[in-house]
Amino acid sequence: MIGCSGQIGSELTIELRNIYGNENVFATDLKEAPAEIRDNGPFQILDVLDEKRLQHYAIRNKITQVYNLAAVLSGNAERMPMQAWNINMSALINTLELARELGLNKIFWPSSIAVFGPTTPRFGTPQLSVMEPNTMYGISKLAGERWCEYYHQRYNIDIRSLRYPGLISYKTEPGGGTTDYAVEIYYEAIKNGSYESFLKEETTLPMMFMPDAIKATIDLMEADADKIKVRSSYNVGGMSFNPQEIADAIRKHIPGFEITFKHDFRQAIADSWPASIDDSVARADWNLSYKYNLESMTQVMLDEIRKKAG
Ligand code: NAD
Ligand code: SER
């Protein structure tokens, strides 16, 4: 696991350890891991950009599969586009080369709804569509998808990928994306009873609750190879809502909750992305399914954040 300390990695690592055994999931990240990961199985500080050390640890630990989650997300990527491009591409290419050189069994690398752009149909965006992203994050993810498909076709590497929508979770803070508002809003609702949204009220985006994202990832990776027809990345839709609708869902539990709106540079990023996603190809190929909607996710988010707050 590369990127075990992030929003997804901190939960996916635990789930993989539950399935395969703590000792069999070697967790790495540039930064310290959460105690639950660091104390219950192998963990190593590792920069995925350092290909020699990456190879060293892969050989020493007899690695057979890699989940590579290291990336600069959309908001941060707009703040430092050249660095984001270099990090996002090198992190992926080092992993692909590792797979080629060591003959690894399977690779997971996440893409994003950010591969789509302002010229893509916004509603029910299909698996195959116009793709002209105008954010550095989206450009790097689209290029990454092309690299994945190329390595599959050219070197027969079993690489699998999902275009995650915005992911919502309560265990680890999100890492600088445009959809982070949909996590922050729950914390602020409990702490202050109010939230100032950096996206406009009508900005509808596709989103997914973390347990559904973890299940989709594992279902994809466990599926028989002949079921995986898409080797760039699969559309994953989840649910779609805007800041006003999530505020309304919170108000059912916290009646006095107030939302105000002051958009920033992330509005332009959100405006370039789809509002809803057609994920029928993933449903047909390997039975993608979800459990949560906005109401059931809101209940869990508020309960869990209250518990954390004590
Ligand atoms: P995150 O920022 O929370 O976590 C990324 C982790 O990677 C961090 O712990 C970071 O320390 C680590 N990392 C960064 N550079 C590294 C390097 N050079 N070497 C080793 N580790 C490094 O991000 P996340 O939300 O967990 O996202 C994981 C992946 O999923 C990314 O590729 C992201 O683009 C993709 N994704 C996330 C979302 C979302 O909503 N969270 C949506 C779509 C796609
Ligand atoms: N949630 C991610 C972001 O906002 C989408 O890939 O960057």
Side-chain angles (χ1 to χ4, degrees):
M1 169 65 66
I2 297 165
C4 71
S5 309
Q7 190 195 5
I8 303 171
S10 58
E11 301 203 32
L12 185 55
T13 304
I14 307 273
E15 191 54 32
L16 291 172
R17 284 183 174 173
N18 288 340
I19 297 169
Y20 299 113
N22 285 0
E23 291 311 310
N24 296 322
V25 179
F26 183 66
T28 72
D29 199 292
L30 203 52
K31 63 183 188 203
E32 192 57 80
E36 200 182 352
I37 291 176
R38 188 194 56 215
D39 299 343
N40 295 320
F43 167 71
Q44 175 66 48
I45 297 276
L46 176 66
D47 183 349
V48 66
L49 304 189
D50 183 343
E51 67 256 46
K52 291 210 165 59
R53 288 189 79 224
L54 177 67
Q55 195 179 69
H56 166 80
Y57 285 113
I59 293 171
R60 204 166 88 171
N61 292 281
K62 301 187 172 62
I63 298 299
T64 55
Q65 299 189 14
V66 173
Y67 290 69
N68 174 11
L69 305 181
V72 179
L73 274 75
S74 60
N76 288 342
E78 289 312 301
R79 292 189 180 100
M80 42 172 206
M82 275 318 294
Q83 275 165 284
W85 169 258
N86 288 331
I87 293 169
N88 290 1
M89 298 324 299
S90 301
L92 171 61
I93 289 167
N94 286 353
T95 308
L96 292 172
E97 275 296 278
L98 184 77
R100 188 179 66 79
E101 284 165 6
L102 302 190
L104 302 184
N105 292 347
K106 243 184 249 179
I107 303 290
F108 176 77
W109 171 84
S111 184
S112 161
I113 53 157
V115 292
F116 299 112
T119 52
T120 305
R122 254 174 73 69
F123 295 92
T125 302
Q127 176 69 40
L128 277 177
S129 190
V130 178
M131 294 168 109
E132 296 183 314
N134 61 0
T135 64
M136 182 44 65
Y137 179 65
I139 292 169
S140 71
K141 287 294 184 188
L142 180 55
E145 289 190 7
R146 299 289 83 222
W147 276 101
C148 290
E149 197 180 276
Y150 180 83
Y151 265 66
H152 175 70
Q153 285 173 354
R154 175 95 200 247
Y155 303 115
N156 200 26
I157 289 171
D158 188 353
I159 176 148
R160 305 178 182 200
S161 177
L162 300 176
R163 289 176 183 147
Y164 288 133
L167 299 184
I168 297 168
S169 66
Y170 54 84
K171 290 200 176 151
T172 303
E173 278 181 28
T178 302
T179 56
D180 294 11
Y181 94 85
V183 177
E184 290 170 10
I185 193 169
Y186 288 111
Y187 281 91
E188 292 298 311
I190 288 186
K191 203 166 132 209
N192 301 319
S194 63
Y195 178 65
E196 183 177 86
S197 170
F198 60 75
L199 296 183
K200 294 181 191 167
E201 58 188 302
E202 70 279 11
T203 311
T204 299
L205 289 170
M207 301 275 186
M208 197 181 212
F209 196 28
M210 190 62 84
D212 280 337
I214 299 291
K215 180 178 179 300
T217 306
I218 289 175
D219 286 352
L220 172 77
M221 290 298 275
E222 295 276 307
D224 291 341
D226 62 357
K227 296 233 159 44
I228 309 299
K229 308 264 169 41
V230 174
R231 293 297 182 160
S232 50
S233 191
Y234 276 101
N235 271 11
V236 176
M239 57 188 109
S240 286
F241 57 78
N242 63 36
Q244 189 61 61
E245 287 163 339
I246 190 172
D248 291 343
I250 291 172
R251 223 171 269 123
K252 287 182 188 153
H253 302 265
I254 305 175
F257 176 68
E258 282 181 17
I259 184 162
T260 51
F261 301 94
K262 191 177 176 195
H263 63 272
D264 68 13
F265 71 100
R266 288 167 283 193
Q267 184 65 46
I269 301 176
D271 286 343
S272 76
W273 289 353
S276 61
I277 296 284
D278 175 351
D279 53 21
S280 52
V281 176
R283 287 174 190 270
D285 284 2
W286 48 273
N287 288 329
L288 170 70
S289 66
Y290 318 110
K291 186 169 159 208
Y292 289 92
N293 59 22
L294 177 56
E295 279 66 40
S296 52
M297 175 179 77
T298 296
Q299 176 82 59
V300 179
M301 284 295 287
L302 293 174
D303 288 351
E304 293 296 333
I305 294 170
R306 276 199 190 101
K307 270 191 229 157
K308 269 172 89 170

mmCIF file of all heavy atoms in Angstrom, residues 8 18 36-37 116 236 250 259 272-273 288 299:
data_model
loop_
_atom_site.group_PDB
_atom_site.id
_atom_site.type_symbol
_atom_site.label_atom_id
_atom_site.label_comp_id
_atom_site.label_asym_id
_atom_site.label_seq_id
_atom_site.Cartn_x
_atom_site.Cartn_y
_atom_site.Cartn_z
ATOM 1 N N ILE A 8 -8.236 7.813 1.954
ATOM 2 C CA ILE A 8 -8.644 6.471 1.527
ATOM 3 C C ILE A 8 -7.719 5.414 2.116
ATOM 4 O O ILE A 8 -8.173 4.387 2.651
ATOM 5 C CB ILE A 8 -8.635 6.353 -0.019
ATOM 6 C CG1 ILE A 8 -9.537 7.423 -0.655
ATOM 7 C CG2 ILE A 8 -9.074 4.954 -0.459
ATOM 8 C CD1 ILE A 8 -9.419 7.516 -2.168
ATOM 9 N N ASN A 18 -7.704 -6.826 7.235
ATOM 10 C CA ASN A 18 -8.768 -7.717 7.725
ATOM 11 C C ASN A 18 -8.936 -8.917 6.798
ATOM 12 O O ASN A 18 -9.186 -10.036 7.245
ATOM 13 C CB ASN A 18 -10.114 -6.976 7.804
ATOM 14 C CG ASN A 18 -10.141 -5.971 8.940
ATOM 15 O OD1 ASN A 18 -9.340 -6.073 9.869
ATOM 16 N ND2 ASN A 18 -11.043 -4.997 8.867
ATOM 17 N N GLU A 36 -3.311 2.907 14.384
ATOM 18 C CA GLU A 36 -3.960 1.623 14.099
ATOM 19 C C GLU A 36 -3.235 0.859 12.975
ATOM 20 O O GLU A 36 -3.209 -0.375 12.973
ATOM 21 C CB GLU A 36 -5.411 1.905 13.688
ATOM 22 C CG GLU A 36 -6.337 0.722 13.813
ATOM 23 C CD GLU A 36 -7.752 1.046 13.339
ATOM 24 O OE1 GLU A 36 -8.078 2.214 13.054
ATOM 25 O OE2 GLU A 36 -8.543 0.083 13.247
ATOM 26 N N ILE A 37 -2.631 1.580 12.050
ATOM 27 C CA ILE A 37 -1.888 0.945 10.952
ATOM 28 C C ILE A 37 -0.441 0.686 11.393
ATOM 29 O O ILE A 37 0.091 -0.413 11.225
ATOM 30 C CB ILE A 37 -1.922 1.845 9.694
ATOM 31 C CG1 ILE A 37 -3.347 1.871 9.128
ATOM 32 C CG2 ILE A 37 -0.910 1.376 8.652
ATOM 33 C CD1 ILE A 37 -3.553 2.781 7.943
ATOM 34 N N PHE A 116 -12.961 14.303 -16.596
ATOM 35 C CA PHE A 116 -13.913 14.957 -17.490
ATOM 36 C C PHE A 116 -13.744 16.478 -17.370
ATOM 37 O O PHE A 116 -13.221 16.966 -16.368
ATOM 38 C CB PHE A 116 -15.337 14.543 -17.134
ATOM 39 C CG PHE A 116 -15.555 13.056 -17.264
ATOM 40 C CD1 PHE A 116 -15.782 12.261 -16.151
ATOM 41 C CD2 PHE A 116 -15.508 12.446 -18.516
ATOM 42 C CE1 PHE A 116 -15.974 10.891 -16.267
ATOM 43 C CE2 PHE A 116 -15.697 11.073 -18.649
ATOM 44 C CZ PHE A 116 -15.924 10.290 -17.526
ATOM 45 N N VAL A 236 -17.574 5.487 -11.610
ATOM 46 C CA VAL A 236 -18.260 5.095 -10.370
ATOM 47 C C VAL A 236 -19.094 6.309 -9.950
ATOM 48 O O VAL A 236 -18.538 7.387 -9.752
ATOM 49 C CB VAL A 236 -17.231 4.757 -9.264
ATOM 50 C CG1 VAL A 236 -17.932 4.451 -7.971
ATOM 51 C CG2 VAL A 236 -16.352 3.599 -9.665
ATOM 52 N N ILE A 250 -28.580 17.662 6.817
ATOM 53 C CA ILE A 250 -28.030 17.875 8.176
ATOM 54 C C ILE A 250 -29.095 18.509 9.072
ATOM 55 O O ILE A 250 -29.235 18.164 10.250
ATOM 56 C CB ILE A 250 -26.751 18.752 8.107
ATOM 57 C CG1 ILE A 250 -25.624 17.958 7.439
ATOM 58 C CG2 ILE A 250 -26.341 19.242 9.499
ATOM 59 C CD1 ILE A 250 -24.368 18.755 7.145
ATOM 60 N N ILE A 259 -26.181 27.470 6.757
ATOM 61 C CA ILE A 259 -25.125 27.434 5.737
ATOM 62 C C ILE A 259 -25.075 28.781 5.030
ATOM 63 O O ILE A 259 -26.119 29.384 4.743
ATOM 64 C CB ILE A 259 -25.316 26.270 4.734
ATOM 65 C CG1 ILE A 259 -24.141 26.211 3.759
ATOM 66 C CG2 ILE A 259 -26.651 26.345 3.995
ATOM 67 C CD1 ILE A 259 -23.997 24.898 3.013
ATOM 68 N N SER A 272 -16.264 22.570 -13.769
ATOM 69 C CA SER A 272 -15.765 21.841 -14.952
ATOM 70 C C SER A 272 -16.051 20.339 -14.863
ATOM 71 O O SER A 272 -15.775 19.598 -15.805
ATOM 72 C CB SER A 272 -14.257 22.066 -15.099
ATOM 73 O OG SER A 272 -13.518 21.291 -14.169
ATOM 74 N N TRP A 273 -16.572 19.878 -13.724
ATOM 75 C CA TRP A 273 -16.771 18.443 -13.502
ATOM 76 C C TRP A 273 -18.224 18.022 -13.725
ATOM 77 O O TRP A 273 -19.137 18.851 -13.635
ATOM 78 C CB TRP A 273 -16.383 18.070 -12.054
ATOM 79 C CG TRP A 273 -14.909 18.112 -11.796
ATOM 80 C CD1 TRP A 273 -13.905 18.314 -12.703
ATOM 81 C CD2 TRP A 273 -14.268 17.960 -10.516
ATOM 82 N NE1 TRP A 273 -12.681 18.291 -12.065
ATOM 83 C CE2 TRP A 273 -12.873 18.071 -10.743
ATOM 84 C CE3 TRP A 273 -14.723 17.729 -9.215
ATOM 85 C CZ2 TRP A 273 -11.945 17.970 -9.700
ATOM 86 C CZ3 TRP A 273 -13.805 17.627 -8.186
ATOM 87 C CH2 TRP A 273 -12.428 17.736 -8.434
ATOM 88 N N LEU A 288 -20.775 -3.671 -9.677
ATOM 89 C CA LEU A 288 -20.662 -2.517 -8.771
ATOM 90 C C LEU A 288 -22.016 -2.261 -8.106
ATOM 91 O O LEU A 288 -23.049 -2.290 -8.780
ATOM 92 C CB LEU A 288 -20.259 -1.268 -9.580
ATOM 93 C CG LEU A 288 -20.339 0.063 -8.836
ATOM 94 C CD1 LEU A 288 -19.256 0.169 -7.762
ATOM 95 C CD2 LEU A 288 -20.210 1.238 -9.822
ATOM 96 N N GLN A 299 -26.638 10.348 8.598
ATOM 97 C CA GLN A 299 -26.857 9.764 9.936
ATOM 98 C C GLN A 299 -25.535 9.226 10.505
ATOM 99 O O GLN A 299 -25.151 9.537 11.631
ATOM 100 C CB GLN A 299 -27.874 8.621 9.803
ATOM 101 C CG GLN A 299 -28.139 7.856 11.079
ATOM 102 C CD GLN A 299 -29.146 8.572 11.954
ATOM 103 O OE1 GLN A 299 -30.273 8.810 11.529
ATOM 104 N NE2 GLN A 299 -28.732 8.934 13.155
#
